[in-house]
Amino acid sequence: MRLFHGQRAWVLQRVTALVLLVLIALGAATLLTGPSLSYESWHALATSTHGAVLIVVFFAALCLHGWIGARDIVLDYIHAPAFRLPVLALIAVILFAIFIRVVLTMAAHFASGA
């Protein structure tokens, strides 16, 4: 926890917010200027190398951004150490599981040759 405290956590949360903003803007631009929306076009975009990398980067930034925000809230409002640690552990496990699920889903598409 000492790795992400104080100004480091503040800067890291702002950097992840910028990454999320850029990727959301890129996605919106793709929606507005790209071909018509169909399952095939979405599947092709998500399973392309660039698309898969962008999806993984998006979820990594999202989970890290969420972790810093949730950690700050827990540290500010839960004062009992006996309750604080389990809450932080639960949040960390949920966010890590989400990220691993996304990575495994993207890896499965490439392993199957889709």
Side-chain angles (χ1 to χ4, degrees):
M1 266 216 256
R2 296 203 182 270
L3 179 64
F4 301 124
H5 73 285
Q7 190 168 4
R8 281 187 198 151
W10 185 87
V11 169
L12 188 57
Q13 193 167 36
R14 274 42 184 193
V15 168
T16 56
L18 287 174
V19 169
L20 291 170
L21 181 65
V22 167
L23 291 175
I24 289 171
L26 186 64
T30 302
L31 281 174
L32 294 174
T33 62
S36 64
L37 297 177
S38 67
Y39 173 79
E40 291 78 20
S41 63
W42 278 103
H43 187 267
L45 178 65
T47 56
S48 69
T49 304
H50 295 354
V53 168
L54 290 176
I55 289 170
V56 169
V57 168
F58 178 82
F59 276 95
L62 184 67
C63 289
L64 187 55
H65 187 84
W67 165 251
I68 294 170
R71 181 196 64 106
D72 288 347
I73 291 169
V74 168
L75 292 178
D76 286 346
Y77 293 105
I78 298 178
H79 300 291
F83 189 56
R84 183 188 292 176
L85 184 60
V87 170
L88 286 172
L90 179 65
I91 293 169
V93 165
I94 289 170
L95 291 172
F96 189 69
I98 290 169
F99 178 68
I100 293 300
R101 173 65 189 236
V102 169
V103 170
L104 291 176
T105 301
M106 292 292 108
H109 282 290
F110 287 105
S112 68

